[in-house]
Amino acid sequence: MDEALRELAGYAPYAFILAIAVFGLYLWLNRSKFRSVNVIAVAGISTALVAVATKVINVPVPATGGYINFGDTMVMFVAMVFGPIIGAFAGGVGSAIGDVISGYPGWSPITLIIKGIEGLAVGYIAQKLEGTAGLIVAGTIGGILMVSGYFIFEYYAFGFTAAYSELPGNLVQAVTGIIVGTGLANAIKKRYPEVESLL
C-alpha cells in the first residue's frame, strides 16, 4: 500500500501541470465566451477554498493510508455556484493540493481526477436543473461519483477489505457535501444572484 502511494506521489507534479495546462488551453480556446481575468480569479479563490476545507478537518484511515475530510462541501458549493469548468478545476486541483498539504501526496493524482469529475458533474447538472431540488440532485450524483471513484481505485489498489473500510467515511463526506454545499449555494444564489454573472 505504502509503495503504491509513494509511486503515485511522484506523478503529482505532472498531474498538477497537466490540469493547469488543460484549464488554460480550454480558457484560451473559449476566450470569446469568458471574461478570462474573472474566470482565473474565481478559479484561484475557489481552488484555495477547496484546499483549505480539505486540510482543516481530516481523519486518517489506516487501512488505505488515506483520510476522511470535508473538502466536498466546498467542491459542491463552488460547482453549484460557478458551474462545471470552475467546479472541475477547483474541485480537482484544490482537493489535490489539500492532499499534499495534509501529508497525503500519494493520493493527489487520484483525487485530482475523482474530485475533478465530481465538480464537473455537479456544476453541469446544477446549471441544467432549477432550484434547490436541482442542486440536491447535482450534489447527490456528484457524491455517488466521488464515493464510487474512490471505492474502485481502492479496490484495485488495496483490495476489497481496505476499500470497504473507507466506504462509510466517504459516504459521510458525500452527505455532508450535499447538505452544506447545497445550503451555501442556495443562500448565495438567492442573496447575491449577480455572482453567477462574474464569469
Side-chain angles (χ1 to χ4, degrees):
M1 181 192 333
D2 290 340
E3 187 179 327
L5 292 174
R6 273 196 298 274
E7 186 176 338
L8 280 170
Y11 292 104
Y14 305 109
F16 283 118
I17 290 166
L18 180 62
I20 292 165
V22 168
F23 181 66
L25 179 63
Y26 180 85
L27 290 184
W28 186 77
L29 291 173
N30 294 279
R31 57 193 177 278
S32 59
K33 288 170 43 180
F34 295 107
R35 299 179 192 170
S36 56
V37 173
N38 287 11
V39 173
I40 291 166
V42 170
I45 292 166
S46 299
T47 300
L49 258 175
V50 172
V52 169
T54 302
K55 165 75 175 156
V56 168
I57 298 173
N58 54 61
V59 180
V61 180
T64 61
Y67 67 112
I68 305 303
N69 64 77
F70 293 102
D72 288 282
T73 58
M74 288 301 107
V75 173
M76 292 192 187
F77 165 70
V78 165
M80 288 172 182
V81 173
F82 296 114
I85 303 309
I86 300 293
F89 184 79
V93 174
S95 299
I97 290 171
D99 282 351
V100 172
I101 63 177
S102 297
Y104 298 89
W107 283 93
S108 60
I110 302 304
T111 290
L112 194 149
I113 295 166
I114 293 171
K115 297 290 183 84
I117 291 169
E118 176 187 356
L120 182 71
V122 171
Y124 180 79
I125 296 164
Q127 281 186 341
K128 296 295 181 189
L129 302 177
E130 296 288 320
T132 305
L135 296 180
I136 292 169
V137 170
T140 301
I141 291 171
I144 289 168
L145 288 170
M146 183 272 290
V147 171
S148 303
Y150 278 114
F151 185 83
I152 290 165
F153 168 73
E154 289 158 3
Y155 177 76
Y156 172 76
F158 313 124
F160 176 79
T161 305
Y164 185 75
S165 72
E166 196 161 303
L167 191 58
N170 283 337
L171 287 169
V172 169
Q173 267 184 228
V175 171
T176 305
I178 294 163
I179 294 167
V180 176
T182 300
L184 284 175
N186 213 16
I188 292 292
K189 284 176 177 243
K190 285 181 178 173
R191 180 88 174 160
Y192 305 104
E194 65 274 11
V195 78
E196 294 178 273
S197 63
L198 283 172
L199 308 179

